[in-house]
Amino acid sequence: MNATLQVQTVFHLTGRPPGAPLEAIDTLGLRPALMARYGDLARLRYDFPLVLVEPAPGAPVARTLTGIVNELARDIAPGGPAGEALRKHLLHMERDIRRMVAEGVTGALSALWDRAVARLAGADADGLQQVLTKAGRAIAVDGEIVDCDDELPGRLFTHAWRVVQRERLERHRVEIDGLIVRLNDILRADFIGSAAGRRPDSLRAAVGTGQQGLFDFDVMARLLAAGAPDSRLSAARRERIEWALSVLRAQRFFPAAIPTGVTQYGYHFDSCRAVQKAFRERLPEMAQLVKAMAVAELEGDGRYDESRHEALFDALDEEALTPEDMAVFPDYFIRLRGRPAAASADTNLMQLLSSGIPVKVLVEIDDILEESSVGQGRFAFGVRNTQLASLAVGLNDAFVMQSTGSNLPQLQAGIRKGMWVRAPALFSVYTATAAHAGMLPHYLVSAAAMQSRAFPAFIYDPTAGADLAARFSLENNPQPDRDWPAAQLEYADGALQRVTEEQAFTLADFVVADPRYAHHFARVPHAAWNGQMVPVSDWLAPGRGTDEGRVPCLAAVDGDDILQRLIVDERLVQAARRCLENWHRLQELGGIRSSHAQRLLARERAAWEEQRRREPGSKTEAAATQSVAAVAETAAAPELTHESVPEEEPAHSPDEAWIETVRCSTCNECTELNDRMFAYNENQQAYIKDITAGTFRELVEAAESCQLSIIHPGKPRDPNEPGLEELLERAKPFL
């Protein structure tokens, strides 16, 4: 072993402070190499910031600023060159608002739009300020604007809970108000048929003031009294109706259409104990309200039968409430923030989720990297925090979502579904705090956590079906069929020649951006780079052979965008291995790489080989071949229910418009530009759905806005489209 490799091996095995020629990385400001191109996020068009809107029932509760500006440009900017200047100004407005939000400015979209107009237009004499102000008034939605920071989960999920609660409570409030009206009508009709109701003063009060002079109420009272039949309610029925009416009017669960002075119950809490206590205290009133609503409905329809219903309602108390009864009431919401790392050991939380109480729990995790306590001798990478959602899945009846903050815009349908289901729901979300984000924006740290499998996204929906295949989804995880997601890294070597190589994004790549853990890495000077430095992903690959004479490394870039290679110590490699094992378990739950199917396939293949050895060339061999093929098809089937390895794109003509679908990252840029031309396939990757549904300009604009440069506009179909000369020049880089 040469001296250089020996020094590298010693650091890898011991993790001691590096010595020559290795160097410490504390002052280099490193970030993962695959993030080198993401510098100023304010200049990029991506999923943040979000605008929290008041949507129509069933619609998303948040809209991306990029999508809103795209929609505005389509609505107000003229087609062709005439609208190009306005479109550019709108894009400048979007960038300025994004920059303000990144600097910590908060408020509604309309307020930030006005601030951006003032900053962009200034003392403009040509009317630009008026044009942009008018454009802002044309935006169809408004709401609080939020960025991908440590406040995002709380603000987004609280807003989603309130929106869904409002939609649900409106229906029940209308039902209760209707029952009150029906019971009032019964009592009023009974009063009108009584002697008191036929008195002159009562009759006068029943007639509008404008018509009172038309009647002689004394004569009317005598006529009505003569021979009036006895149609009064029985005492028991009147008492029952008045009781139900008093309960409906005094209930504190649903706000009445007309304020009654009754203080309504609150449902937003900050601890599991508080929810359990409030629920127990409210149970008697819940039983009374359920009983009153049932009585009111039966009385209103004239179907109440004392002989049948009296005993039933006498026995109806809080012990007799069914899940269907409790499903009528509002959901509780708990925001658990800044909890200890051992959140998964919180028995109160697990008991609450398994209790049947209609509760939605948001757990905000701000750090998933942690050193284990002294004596454990290993790097924990926040395993206790990442176990929380997995433990909740084991409860079987709770809705569970785990995601990073950067992925929440893509999971809005899941968020709404979790808020709607009549079951307990847990939302476990990771978004880095400013202290833990280091030199990277919160969005990139959050995205890196999911990319590295440190905090994978998944949804478990117990209402989606009877089996795990229907209930569990690894939705939106990048390349879910692989151990680690990979992408192409391009850089210039020492001779300024372009080099392209595939890089996997592992847990070690996520950790390298956190300055707290710089001691797990050592920089290798360029002169000491050698073939014995193996990428961490290859080091962890199965069947890689002996470790002797090799060391694990990864690529990173420093503050000057210079590519660096780092040796990774054994403690972090072991953490990456445990992270990968956890990912493999999730893959199996999601139907990917089923170990049972693989074991069955291996057993059938061995049996086929044995049969073939014994009877070469026989008909049995052909039958065995068919058997193995059938088993292989069965083993592959679970993977096809999720995103599987795509086939390579066929060759395309330079004149043809097409998308490298297999590389799509589902950023929504093209679909928000024109969702009739662009669409997503079953793997949530973009393709050209209808080339005739848009213009060549939209193809070029989509190519320019695509973060991965995978859209190829080809040649224009319409030779008379305005501005083709300019558009063809802009399309050249994407041919």
Side-chain angles (χ1 to χ4, degrees):
M1 182 181 296
N2 61 51
T4 298
L5 180 58
Q6 185 175 14
V7 172
Q8 295 173 353
T9 303
V10 169
F11 173 79
H12 164 64
L13 294 176
T14 66
R16 294 174 181 172
L22 300 181
E23 302 172 1
I25 68 167
D26 308 64
T27 61
L28 298 179
L30 296 176
R31 61 191 189 280
L34 289 176
M35 290 186 177
R37 65 177 63 188
Y38 304 110
D40 183 7
L41 287 183
R43 300 181 64 86
L44 298 178
R45 307 189 77 214
Y46 65 111
D47 291 334
F48 287 91
L50 296 175
V51 179
L52 305 183
V53 299
E54 299 295 332
V61 299
R63 296 275 306 276
T64 67
L65 177 63
T66 295
I68 291 173
V69 172
N70 285 344
E71 184 177 285
L72 179 64
R74 288 197 297 268
D75 290 344
I76 70 172
E84 192 64 21
L86 179 55
R87 281 189 287 271
K88 288 182 179 179
H89 285 310
L90 294 178
L91 292 177
H92 289 160
M93 289 287 293
E94 177 188 339
R95 185 173 64 185
D96 202 41
I97 292 174
R98 182 174 283 114
R99 194 175 298 281
M100 282 193 289
V101 173
E103 293 169 353
V105 179
T106 60
L109 172 60
S110 56
L112 269 66
W113 186 276
D114 291 341
R115 291 184 60 170
V117 169
R119 287 168 49 149
L120 182 62
D124 176 71
D126 296 328
L128 177 59
Q129 188 167 1
Q130 291 183 344
V131 171
L132 294 179
T133 299
K134 184 177 179 181
R137 302 297 179 264
I139 297 176
V141 297
D142 195 15
E144 183 184 14
I145 194 164
V146 295
D147 201 8
C148 185
D149 54 24
D150 52 344
E151 292 292 331
L152 169 68
R155 294 163 77 179
L156 176 60
F157 280 89
T158 301
H159 175 68
W161 173 74
R162 287 174 177 162
V163 167
V164 172
Q165 286 292 96
R166 186 164 55 249
E167 293 175 3
R168 176 182 287 131
L169 296 186
E170 176 68 17
R171 184 180 64 204
H172 295 302
R173 182 192 62 75
V174 170
E175 179 183 359
I176 290 175
D177 288 346
L179 292 175
I180 290 175
V181 170
R182 293 171 71 184
L183 294 184
N184 269 326
D185 288 345
I186 294 174
L187 293 179
R188 185 181 179 189
D190 180 64
F191 175 75
I192 291 174
S194 68
R198 293 193 293 266
R199 289 201 304 263
D201 56 334
S202 298
L203 295 173
R204 183 178 292 105
V207 177
T209 56
Q211 288 78 34
Q212 287 182 356
L214 301 177
F215 301 95
D216 185 331
F217 293 102
D218 292 324
V219 174
M220 184 182 296
R222 289 195 300 270
L223 291 174
L224 292 174
D230 186 8
S231 59
R232 301 294 309 283
L233 297 174
S234 68
R237 188 182 182 196
R238 170 180 287 278
E239 181 180 356
R240 187 166 54 245
I241 291 175
E242 289 178 342
W243 169 85
L245 192 57
S246 67
V247 172
L248 294 177
R249 284 172 171 165
Q251 61 85 21
R252 295 187 282 175
F253 300 97
F254 306 96
I258 300 175
T260 60
V262 177
T263 302
Q264 301 298 317
Y265 280 129
Y267 288 87
H268 197 297
F269 293 85
D270 57 6
S271 75
C272 299
R273 291 177 184 268
V275 167
Q276 292 169 319
K277 181 175 182 292
F279 184 77
R280 285 194 297 268
E281 291 175 347
R282 298 173 187 180
L283 267 176
E285 287 187 53
M286 293 168 61
Q288 289 289 87
L289 181 56
V290 169
K291 178 178 177 180
M293 292 176 67
V295 168
E297 186 172 350
L298 290 171
E299 288 287 5
D301 294 340
R303 295 185 292 111
Y304 193 95
D305 184 345
E306 291 186 4
S307 63
R308 292 175 51 205
H309 296 125
E310 201 70 28
L312 175 65
F313 285 120
D314 285 344
L316 201 162
D317 57 14
E318 57 266 30
E319 298 295 331
L321 288 177
T322 66
E324 291 74 19
D325 293 330
M326 289 189 288
V328 172
F329 293 89
D331 291 333
Y332 296 81
F333 181 77
I334 309 176
R335 181 184 179 188
L336 303 178
R337 187 180 184 192
R339 297 181 61 80
S344 59
D346 189 340
T347 55
N348 288 326
L349 176 56
M350 291 299 136
Q351 288 173 357
L352 181 62
L353 292 173
S354 60
S355 67
I357 296 176
V359 62
K360 312 303 179 187
V361 183
L362 169 64
V363 177
E364 299 175 62
I365 299 175
D366 58 14
D367 191 12
I368 55 175
L369 295 178
E370 57 175 342
E371 295 279 12
S372 296
S373 60
V374 176
Q376 290 181 338
R378 64 182 188 176
F379 193 71
F381 76 88
V383 66
R384 288 174 293 180
N385 280 332
T386 58
Q387 285 178 339
L388 177 60
S390 298
L391 287 174
V393 170
L395 297 175
N396 197 45
D397 294 326
F399 181 98
V400 183
M401 172 189 288
Q402 175 173 291
S403 178
T404 62
S406 62
N407 190 47
L408 292 179
Q410 284 76 40
L411 292 181
Q412 286 206 63
I415 294 173
R416 181 177 269 279
K417 178 65 179 297
M419 293 296 179
W420 261 107
V421 295
R422 304 310 297 166
L426 171 68
F427 304 94
S428 179
V429 182
Y430 166 69
T431 301
T433 63
H436 300 152
M439 299 184 64
L440 291 176
H442 289 79
Y443 175 81
L444 291 183
V445 177
S446 181
M450 190 170 78
Q451 289 276 335
S452 65
R453 316 301 196 199
F455 204 85
F458 66 80
I459 292 177
Y460 176 81
D461 181 2
T463 68
D467 53 32
L468 197 59
R471 295 182 173 191
F472 191 87
S473 170
L474 290 173
E475 186 174 355
N476 287 332
N477 285 283
Q479 302 172 27
D481 54 293
R482 302 185 60 160
D483 284 350
W484 312 102
Q488 295 297 313
L489 173 66
E490 291 186 355
Y491 62 93
D493 62 14
L496 299 182
Q497 298 299 305
R498 175 180 293 183
V499 178
T500 301
E501 60 184 47
E502 185 176 78
Q503 289 281 327
F505 200 91
T506 70
L507 177 73
D509 294 89
F510 174 53
V511 175
V512 75
D514 194 324
R516 296 175 297 168
Y517 304 106
H519 56 279
H520 290 285
F521 304 92
R523 174 184 174 271
V524 181
H526 287 249
W529 291 6
N530 57 72
Q532 283 71 44
M533 297 165 57
V534 179
V536 172
S537 57
D538 292 346
W539 184 270
L540 295 173
R544 55 184 170 80
T546 178
D547 294 340
E548 186 175 350
R550 306 191 309 167
V551 289
C553 75
L554 61 80
V557 293
D558 59 23
D560 297 322
D561 286 337
I562 303 299
L563 185 67
Q564 307 289 346
R565 296 198 184 274
L566 315 175
I567 303 299
V568 183
D569 75 1
E570 178 62 17
R571 291 182 66 197
L572 183 50
V573 169
Q574 290 298 328
R577 180 172 286 111
R578 288 191 296 277
C579 176
L580 184 58
E581 291 169 355
N582 181 63
W583 171 244
H584 285 165
R585 285 192 291 272
L586 289 180
Q587 283 183 312
E588 286 215 54
L589 289 176
I592 302 173
R593 290 186 176 182
S594 170
S595 59
H596 296 285
Q598 291 175 346
R599 186 174 299 177
L600 175 61
L601 176 60
R603 186 166 62 245
E604 290 294 323
R605 189 177 296 278
W608 169 62
E609 291 286 355
E610 177 65 18
Q611 184 70 32
R612 179 174 154 183
R613 184 184 63 80
R614 291 180 178 179
E615 303 179 31
S618 67
K619 293 182 179 179
T620 306
E621 179 179 347
T625 302
Q626 294 177 358
S627 174
V628 171
V631 173
E633 181 178 353
T634 302
E639 296 193 26
L640 296 179
T641 63
H642 296 274
E643 186 176 351
S644 55
V645 179
E647 298 179 358
E648 294 185 1
E649 293 282 357
H652 293 270
S653 165
D655 296 343
E656 176 187 1
W658 65 289
I659 296 179
E660 297 176 58
T661 299
V662 297
R663 293 180 55 204
C664 175
S665 61
T666 320
C667 68
N668 301 329
E669 294 286 351
C670 58
T671 55
E672 289 185 344
L673 179 66
N674 185 335
D675 58 8
R676 292 173 293 109
M677 176 183 284
F678 304 102
Y680 286 134
N681 62 15
E682 66 277 5
N683 294 327
Q684 291 299 298
Q685 292 180 300
Y687 70 100
I688 296 179
K689 178 182 179 181
D690 183 1
I691 191 66
T692 65
T695 64
F696 184 64
R697 176 176 294 279
E698 288 177 314
L699 281 168
V700 174
E701 290 175 351
E704 291 174 335
S705 64
C706 179
Q707 300 174 23
L708 299 180
S709 300
I710 61 173
I711 299 178
H712 306 279
K715 298 297 183 183
R717 294 178 299 102
D718 180 6
N720 298 318
E721 183 174 335
L724 279 187
E725 183 176 351
E726 175 203 359
L727 292 173
L728 287 170
E729 188 66 27
R730 289 165 56 183
K732 284 182 179 179
F734 308 103
L735 296 179

